[in-house]
Structures are given as structure tokens and as C-alpha cells.
Amino acid sequence: MQVSRLSSIVCCGLLLIAPALPVHGQKKDGKNSAPTVRLDVTPITPYSEVRRDNLLNGLQVISLYRPGDAIVKCDIVVRTGSMFDLLGKAGLASLTQATLLAANPRLKEELESLQARIDWGINTDTTWFHVETPAASFDTVFEILARLLVVETPRNDSFAAAQKAQIERVKSHQPTAAERADEAFFKAVYGDHPYGRSPHGTEITLAGIKQGDIYDFLRRFYIANNVSVTTVGNIPQERVMKSFKILFGGWSKGQLVPATFRQPPQVTQLRVVKVEAADSANVELRGGVISVKHTDADFLTTEVMARILTARLKREAEGAAVTSTPRILSGPFVFSATLPAERAQAFSQKATEHYASLATTPVSAEELSAAKASLAGEYAARPVEVFLREIEVFSLPRNYPLSLQKRIDEITAADVQRVAQRLRDANALTVVALGRIGDNFKANP
């Protein structure tokens, strides 16, 4: 790449120091000549050095060499999360990951001895492992991790230990009022759809999972062509590819399982779900609808809508927020607020009115401009490695981060009104109120 840049500089220099050359289409004697060829140079961006490759087993490897970085950041993402948990066995994806990791209880300590660290987790859409390591330890770190993901077969003791730990964790966790309100909202909006379940399961569902379920989940989803690897840092692509060919080249490939699920039932009228919680000092309010998936052309507009509504609702309650969550399938568009019981009904009515007005009244130029600037600023501050991971997880265009500013700039007030109407046509608003509700909290007309 340095040679390429140097060549570009030399070419530019030659053009600059040759003012006596004939102008376009003309010789020195004034007669016409063939047009001068123009050399268009592709602009350099933070993504210009990104390299993509696949192993023979289909494992995707994306790398960005940044020699100035102190460490290498690597994400291994299995494009399968809790949405594929078996019915009645919520927490299967989480327990599968825990079973793999239980084969090496000292994994974190081993990596720390190499000045590296690891985190892991699951969500509805993915199972992930995040590693940060010095380049000098890269091969050793991933040899340790490859043993767990590729080489080891989950043992009886690993499964038993992981299941016991997961059940104890669920039993000991005391969910906050906010967490309970979130859970109630997703259950109310999504029903039996996988997005309506807790990714971590319950004591009952975890206890019902058998070791055979873990083997089946691994066989179906922990396959090389369902995994992407993203590395960013001071390690060249050639070395990354060599390491993963040796360590992960034996990972089996298989038939990809599509995320095809029955859609949640449509909500045709405003719905209020009241959850009594005598131990809650305030009322937790959640309200929203099923929105669009991340790859939908209207997703950015829903993010602008969320910021417009957030600004409006903060005038009613300082801690209020609205989010449009990126998901592989249609994600939620939801507002949240924590309020004293005596203010909850009035706020809920205001929130409902503001949401409805997006579809009936054009937003002001000032509101739209502020929301777009906020969204553009958030994306501009996002690290390159986050975008690279997002592109692979959601199958976004590879120029996605470079096109964001233009796409945000093009969003109009008419777009906001159109998309708001689209969401309203699909589902009416669902409102969840958790706290000391009584009979005073009612649905708005």
C-alpha cells in the first residue's frame, strides 16, 4: 500500500511541475488533439485497508491492519442467538456457550497471563467472543480459544457444571423494576415469538435442557460458515489468515438454518398492560410497537423518529428515552420512563399523543435537523471495528458506514411522517405500566 500511495504522490507531482503541457484537447500550435486522459484516484477512508477472505470451510475473516495500534481487537461472532432456543427451553443458546467455556474454567486467567483479555455473551441474534491481545500473543491466545470452539467435545462434567452455574445465576438474580418492565413489554409485544423470551432463560427452562440439546445446537449453529471473525490492530492480514487456517481450518461447515418464524399477532387497538409491583417506588412505563429490521430501507428514519420523540418526551420527564433497536428480524421501537405514580397516567397520554402526531403532523425543520445531527454524530463516533462487525452480522452493504451521512442528510419530514404511518398501520401502540398501579391507570382513548 505504501508503494501505491507513493506512486500516486509521484504522479500528482509530475502533473503539478509540468505547467507547459498543452491544455485539454489542444496542441502547442493550437490545433485540436486527442483528449488528455484524467486519472481518478479513489479517496482514502478508514476502510480502505480492510481485507476480507474466507477459509475453505466458509469461515469469514475480516482484518484491518493498523500498525500504530497497541493491541489487536478480535470479535468471533456466531450468527445465532437466543432466537433459536427450543420452545420451552429458553436459555439454550446461553447454556451452550457456557458449556463450551466450562471445559476451561481458568480461561480468563490463562489469557491474562498473556496480557490478553476475553469477554463473551449472547443476545437474541448472536453469540459472541471478544478478545483483546498483544500481537505477540495472538497465536497462543487463539490456539487456546480454538480448542474450546473447534477441538473439544462438550463433556458430561462441563455440561453439568455450566447448567448448575446458569441455574444458580438466574435464581440469585433479583431483577430491578426496570428489567421487569422491559421483560413484560417484550412479552406483551412479541408474544410467543422468540424476541419475546428472555435470552438467559428461567430456572425451569434451564433445568429442562438436556446434554443432547447442547450437542444438537452446536451441530446446527456452531458451524464455520455461520461465523465471522473481525480483527483490527497491529497484525497484518497474512498473519491473521495463517493463524486461522491452522487453528480454525478444521471447523466443520454445514447447512445454514434461516431465521424464519411466524410473525407476532397484530395489535389493532391501543393496549395497556398493568403489572402490579408493590415494592416499586415509582412506575416504570414502556410503550411501543414492532418496528423494522436493520436492513430495511426505513431503519435510519426510525432512528431519527426515536430522537425526535426523545426530545419531546424529555420535556415531560427528564429521564425519558426512545430507542429503535437494530435486529436481524423486526426489532422494537419503544419509549421508556420512570415516574412517580401520580404522574404516570399524564405522561403515558402525552407519549401516546406525541407518537401519534408523527404520522399526522409534519415535524418542524428544527426538530428534524437536531435529530439528524444527533444520529450522524453518534455514527461518526462509532469505532471502525464496530461497523465491521455490524456489516457481517446484519449482512449490510460493505460501504454502509461510508454512505450513512448522505442517507441521513436525505431524510425529510415527509419520510418521518410516512414511516410513522407505516408503523401505525402495522400495529397499534402497546403500553406497559409496572408499579403500584391500582385502578387509576387506564388506556387513553
Side-chain angles (χ1 to χ4, degrees), residues 198-260:
S198 166
H200 304 291
T202 66
E203 182 182 351
I204 294 174
T205 62
L206 288 168
I209 297 172
K210 307 302 181 185
Q211 189 168 350
D213 298 324
I214 302 295
Y215 283 126
D216 185 60
F217 198 90
L218 287 169
R219 179 184 59 81
R220 296 178 69 205
F221 301 113
Y222 277 69
I223 51 178
N225 50 322
N226 193 38
V227 177
S228 65
V229 176
T230 304
T231 64
V232 175
N234 57 339
I235 185 168
Q237 184 218 16
E238 294 77 12
R239 184 176 162 196
V240 173
M241 288 302 299
K242 180 180 178 182
S243 295
F244 274 91
K245 282 178 182 177
I246 294 171
L247 300 172
F248 290 81
W251 204 345
S252 298
K253 67 185 301 184
Q255 185 69 38
L256 296 176
V257 181
T260 53

Side-chain angles (χ1 to χ4, degrees), residues 388-403:
L388 293 178
R389 171 175 165 166
E390 192 174 9
I391 288 169
E392 302 307 320
V393 168
F394 295 103
S395 299
L396 298 170
R398 291 179 179 176
N399 69 341
Y400 175 73
L402 301 177
S403 66

Side-chain angles (χ1 to χ4, degrees), residues 298-340:
D298 287 331
F299 178 73
L300 284 177
T301 303
T302 69
E303 290 202 291
V304 169
M305 288 166 51
R307 283 158 175 76
I308 292 171
L309 271 181
T310 295
R312 292 181 180 182
L313 295 184
K314 280 186 178 296
R315 294 195 288 267
E316 312 294 336
E318 185 178 349
V322 185
T323 56
S324 179
T325 306
R327 296 274 180 89
I328 288 177
L329 304 178
S330 297
F333 183 93
V334 55
F335 71 77
S336 60
T338 304
L339 296 150

